[in-house]
Amino acid sequence: MLKAVIFDMDGVLLDSEPFWARAQMQVFGALGRPMSQADCDATMGIRIDQLVALRYPDLVNPPSQEEVVNHIVDEVNRLIRSEGTPKEGLDHAMALIRDQGLTIGLATSSPMAMVHNVLETLGIAHHFSALHSAEVERFGKPHPDVYLHAAEKLGVAPEACLAIEDSFNGLLAAKAARMQALIIPDPALRGDPRLAIADLKLDSLAQLEAAHLRR
């Protein structure tokens, strides 16, 4: 029986995946590593420091990895503040989950400073009983620790949690944590056969129904 719903952030609460792609293209491009949209799609859901470490050997005269990470994060935060809007159905989903008596948490690969920026921009911080970022974990998604520790903060067994994700890496993390998983795929992943491991697939949060939360 479900007791909690744990949201991913990027691509689930707001359409920030394009912000990450724009920031990567800008920062990596300026450092001699042009990035395509396909390059960005392939690493969706991966923690930014791990992504920078992956791309760093290809950069030309770069600053430190930490500085590259900070440049990307700063640009994404700027875009969130200036252009961030809630995903379709977010208010509906929050109200429905609360009406079902379920606790709400968040498990994200993004840094906690960005989490607070997003929640403040969208005005939804009051809905969440626990927030957890993979920045404090040894491994980010697709490793399950970010979900396991989010559930621990909520005081709920992982098996009693529903994770809501938009990326394949996030979906893998949720399933590895032994959670039920709802996938609302990023447009780049629509039709991807790997998403069949999800327990439920919807096109948007607006389609969430009470029956989906009684599993």
Side-chain angles (χ1 to χ4, degrees):
M1 181 178 177
L2 285 181
K3 295 183 178 179
V5 175
I6 301 180
F7 284 83
D8 173 46
M9 186 175 77
D10 294 295
V12 174
L13 299 184
L14 79 167
D15 192 16
S16 50
E17 298 293 2
F19 299 161
W20 283 103
R22 285 163 60 184
Q24 289 177 52
M25 289 176 184
Q26 175 183 316
V27 174
F28 287 133
L31 294 171
R33 175 50 163 96
M35 298 282 290
S36 69
Q37 185 62 53
D39 291 331
C40 298
D41 292 342
T43 54
M44 191 182 303
I46 293 178
R47 201 171 65 189
I48 187 59
D49 61 319
Q50 295 177 320
L51 173 58
V52 168
L54 180 68
R55 307 293 190 199
Y56 197 76
D58 298 328
L59 304 184
V60 178
N61 298 321
S64 69
Q65 290 190 36
E66 182 179 3
E67 288 177 279
V68 176
V69 167
N70 289 340
H71 287 326
I72 294 172
V73 169
D74 288 347
E75 177 60 13
V76 175
N77 267 325
R78 185 190 70 78
L79 290 168
I80 287 169
R81 287 190 294 271
S82 63
E83 302 179 28
T85 56
K87 290 285 282 188
E88 178 189 7
L90 180 59
D91 288 343
H92 157 76
M94 291 292 180
L96 182 65
I97 293 165
R98 286 294 188 191
D99 287 347
Q100 297 302 306
L102 303 177
T103 305
I104 299 175
L106 184 139
T108 178
S109 295
S110 294
M112 191 56 73
M114 185 173 291
V115 171
H116 293 304
N117 182 26
V118 167
L119 299 187
E120 179 181 347
T121 298
L122 300 183
I124 58 173
H126 60 286
H127 289 295
F128 292 87
S129 298
L131 308 172
H132 193 64
S133 165
E135 71 177 342
V136 300
E137 303 290 353
R138 183 178 178 188
F139 302 108
K141 298 174 184 178
H143 198 278
D145 274 357
V146 65
Y147 273 113
L148 293 172
H149 291 140
E152 187 176 297
K153 284 184 175 180
L154 290 171
V156 177
E159 295 86 353
C161 296
L162 173 69
I164 302 182
E165 274 286 351
D166 74 312
S167 74
F168 181 62
N169 284 311
L171 178 59
L172 282 178
K175 295 303 292 182
R178 307 183 309 282
M179 294 183 181
Q180 296 183 51
L182 161 60
I183 187 79
I184 301 175
D186 182 89
L189 295 177
R190 296 245 169 103
D192 190 325
R194 299 175 300 170
L195 304 185
I197 65 173
D199 299 280
L200 180 65
K201 183 167 74 170
L202 299 175
D203 291 328
S204 81
L205 288 170
Q207 296 177 343
L208 189 67
E209 300 177 0
H212 298 144
L213 303 173
R214 301 184 189 131
R215 301 167 71 87

